[in-house]
């Protein structure tokens, strides 16, 4: 990976207290967030997407009845070169954890990044996503981001 | 043959199970009745045949590990995966396209033991080319892409060089996002395209002028069908008797026909059937059987299934 970090001093947000729930059966904003909040930032593996406010509970929209999840994430910097990795990781994590009936849309928060349209389009094309996931280096990075410490 | 309106529905004839991963595409054998090939992310191609006795389909062959079989020809050239292939009407030319943004045309050399020669490498699309398709009667090639356009290629000069003669983009009523698929009607004077922009578009040309050797006649937009699918439309196919089928990420298969009403604005199309939950997941491909009578439709999905449907009057 690059030796020069784009965002050397990211703002770290205070952790919100996590609510723990015993009911694992249905999908809603909370459980969807839980699945992805701990994904590690590709540049700062000791920090999660939640720590950096890339993802918050508001990032998640779920309609269980329509089997639909939409995640809107905010890259830490508008010109950061890694939103595709973050978006892909979120997508992969959700597709792995959710039942097959779910449609998952992952997008960059409107106005938060220079390459918003390009990234959103890439994340929305399943052939492209499949092709990207055939790259072993990228898969290794994504796995590292999803590692739970 | 006009499609009659009374209570038509898409009836599921059979579910073909066997693939272990998403099925990307299906194709009917143009010569043998009731034979279908399907290809999947499980890296196999399956051939399904309909028994003349029981009328049901079974899997007759699973083709895997293509490189270990003795192949007749291997065509190398593309820099990344090849997404689509198309034979021209006479079977002398093969077009291919892929993620490397290029379209290749290969010519079969029968006097050289059926070797394939590259006769053109067409670069013009700025992004992945999703599909290529030859016109059903003329050697005019169509390609559609992630760059939101449809490009039309033909060879107008004596050199036999192929050039892009027209680009259908947002500027001429084209799509505003990735165009996934193209299909022609039986006469070859109309074309249907579908896109990530959630629309199906119909185009037309003056085929008799083109066939008379006048030179290239441009295609123009006829109408746009939107508001029917709410996720990316991956595939469209026009049947020989005029029914357009579409398959999309909303798990539905929808059928459209010429509405036959004479309006000032020209011909328009309407929804004939909407099949909700045709599959459990995205519908990647829809293909009508090539004969005129059966009205069978095959579909392929991310749910690993191939399904056979029949367009028939509902009881």
């Amino acid at each position: 990976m690059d030796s020069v970090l784009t965002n050397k001093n990211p703002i770290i947000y205070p952790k919100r207290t996590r609510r723990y729930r015993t009911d694992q059966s249905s999908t809603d904003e909370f459980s969807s967030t839980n699945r992805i909040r701990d994904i590690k930032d590709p540049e700062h593996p000791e920090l999660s997407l939640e720590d950096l406010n890339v993802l918050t509970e508001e990032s998640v929209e779920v309609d269980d009845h329509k089997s639909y999840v939409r995640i809107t994430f905010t890259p830490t910097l508008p010109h950061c070169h890694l939103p595709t990795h973050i978006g892909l990781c979120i997508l992969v994590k959700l597709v792995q954890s959710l039942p097959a009936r779910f449609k998952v849309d992952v997008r960059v928060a409107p106005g938060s990044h220079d390459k918003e349209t390009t990234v959103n389009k890439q994340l929305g094309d399943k052939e492209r996503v499949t092709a990207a996931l055939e790259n072993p280096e990228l898969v290794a990075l994504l796995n590292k981001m999803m590692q739970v410490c | 043959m006009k499609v009659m309106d009374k209570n038509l529905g898409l009836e599921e004839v059979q579910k073909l199970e066997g693939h272990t991963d998403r099925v990307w595409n299906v194709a009917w054998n143009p010569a043998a009745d009731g034979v279908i090939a399907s290809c999947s992310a499980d890296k196999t191609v399956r051939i399904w045949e309909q028994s003349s006795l029981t009328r049901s389909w079974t899997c007759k062959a699973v083709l895997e590990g293509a490189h270990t079989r003795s192949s007749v020809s291997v065509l190398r050239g593309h820099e990344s995966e090849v997404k689509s292939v198309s034979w021209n009407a006479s079977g002398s030319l093969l077009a291919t396209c892929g993620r490397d943004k290029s379209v290749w045309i290969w010519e079969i050399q029968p006097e050289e033991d059926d070797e394939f020669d590259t006769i053109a490498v067409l670069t013009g699309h700025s992004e992945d080319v999703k599909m290529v398709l030859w016109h059903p009667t003329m050697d005019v090639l169509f390609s559609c892409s992630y760059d939101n356009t449809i490009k039309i290629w033909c060879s107008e000069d004596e050199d036999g060089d192929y050039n892009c003669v027209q680009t259908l983009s947002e500027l001429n009523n084209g799509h505003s996002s990735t165009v996934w698929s193209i299909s022609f009607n039986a006469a070859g004077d109309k074309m249907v395209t579908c896109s990530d922009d959630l629309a199906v578009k119909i185009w037309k040309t003056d085929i008799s002028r083109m066939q008379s050797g006048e030179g290239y006649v441009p295609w123009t937009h006829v109408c746009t069908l939107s508001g029917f699918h709410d996720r990316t439309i991956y595939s469209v196919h026009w049947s020989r008797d005029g029914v357009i089928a579409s398959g999309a990420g909303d798990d539905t298969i929808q059928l459209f026909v010429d509405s036959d009403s004479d309006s000032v604005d020209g011909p328009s199309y309407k929804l004939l059937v909407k099949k909700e939950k045709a599959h459990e997941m995205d519908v990647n491909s829809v293909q009508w059987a090539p004969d005129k009578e059966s009205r069978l439709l095959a579909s392929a999905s991310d749910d690993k299934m191939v399904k056979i449907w029949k367009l028939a009057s509902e009881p």
Side-chain angles (χ1 to χ4, degrees), chain B residues 64-76:
Chain B
E64 53 195 318
H67 291 288
T68 61
R69 284 184 185 267
S70 63
S71 46
V72 179
S73 300
V74 179
L75 280 58
R76 295 186 202 283

Side-chain angles (χ1 to χ4, degrees), chain B residues 20-140:
Chain B
T20 55
D21 203 332
R22 68 180 6 148
V23 187
W24 284 112
N25 230 319
V26 278
W28 292 85
N29 185 308
D33 259 359
V35 179
I36 299 171
S38 59
C39 64
S40 163
D42 66 10
K43 303 186 175 44
T44 70
V45 169
R46 280 176 179 257
I47 311 292
W48 315 83
E49 271 177 35
Q50 187 181 28
S51 144
S52 41
L53 208 65
T54 64
R55 308 309 291 157
S56 72
W57 275 269
T58 48
C59 182
K60 283 300 186 204
V62 178
L63 312 176
E64 53 195 318
H67 291 288
T68 61
R69 284 184 185 267
S70 63
S71 46
V72 179
S73 300
V74 179
L75 280 58
R76 295 186 202 283
H78 280 288
E79 288 167 19
S80 48
E81 69 271 11
V82 182
K83 293 189 185 299
S84 168
V85 292
S86 174
W87 289 102
N88 69 341
S90 63
S92 59
L93 299 173
L94 182 71
T96 59
C97 69
R99 195 161 55 86
D100 63 3
K101 308 173 192 172
S102 64
V103 172
W104 289 56
I105 304 181
W106 316 75
E107 185 172 45
I108 192 166
Q109 309 293 328
E111 69 283 353
E112 268 160 65
D113 217 19
D114 283 348
E115 281 273 308
F116 282 81
D117 269 4
T118 309
I119 64 168
V121 177
L122 309 170
T123 53
H125 280 295
S126 57
E127 295 282 5
D128 316 4
V129 188
K130 294 296 192 189
M131 180 175 176
V132 278
L133 188 66
W134 287 99
H135 185 270
T137 58
M138 300 180 296
D139 282 347
V140 180

Side-chain angles (χ1 to χ4, degrees), chain A residues 67-69 100-105 117-128 130-132 134, chain B residues 22 24 81 83 99 127-128 130 146-148 177-178 180 231 234 249-251 280-282 284 302:
Chain A
S67 302
Y68 174 69
V69 173
R101 66 186 164 94
F102 274 90
K103 306 288 179 193
V104 180
D105 283 337
T117 333
T118 312
V119 174
N120 288 344
K121 194 176 184 189
Q122 286 171 346
L123 294 174
D125 183 317
K126 66 185 183 186
E127 265 186 5
R128 278 251 183 144
T130 308
E134 282 172 11
Chain B
R22 68 180 6 148
W24 284 112
E81 69 271 11
K83 293 189 185 299
R99 195 161 55 86
E127 295 282 5
D128 316 4
K130 294 296 192 189
Y146 184 98
D147 69 10
N148 310 348
S177 188
T178 304
W180 281 91
R231 292 190 71 85
Y234 292 111
D250 57 10
D251 311 345
E280 301 292 313
M281 295 171 75
D282 294 7
N284 296 321
D302 277 356

Side-chain angles (χ1 to χ4, degrees), chain B residues 1 3 49 67-68 120 122 145 164 196 200 204 213 247 252:
Chain B
M1 176 185 153
V3 174
E49 271 177 35
H67 291 288
T68 61
L122 309 170
S145 165
C164 177
D196 178 62
V200 166
K204 70 169 188 216
T252 71

Side-chain angles (χ1 to χ4, degrees), chain A residues 31-92:
Chain A
S31 55
S32 292
T33 322
N34 258 354
R35 296 173 213 269
I36 55 178
R37 72 206 304 166
D38 291 325
I39 292 173
K40 305 288 175 274
D41 182 82
E43 283 195 324
H44 299 276
E46 71 286 2
L47 297 171
S48 73
L49 298 182
E50 182 191 26
D51 291 332
L52 296 167
N53 251 24
V54 173
L55 284 176
T56 63
E57 238 166 81
E58 289 76 34
S59 300
V60 184
E61 291 161 64
V62 179
D63 187 329
D64 197 25
H65 182 67
K66 289 194 186 149
S67 302
Y68 174 69
V69 173
R70 179 158 77 176
I71 309 290
T72 307
F73 70 97
T74 311
T76 53
L77 288 178
H79 55 272
C80 138
H81 65 288
L82 296 162
T84 323
H85 291 112
I86 297 172
L88 253 182
C89 196
I90 295 169
L91 189 59
V92 167

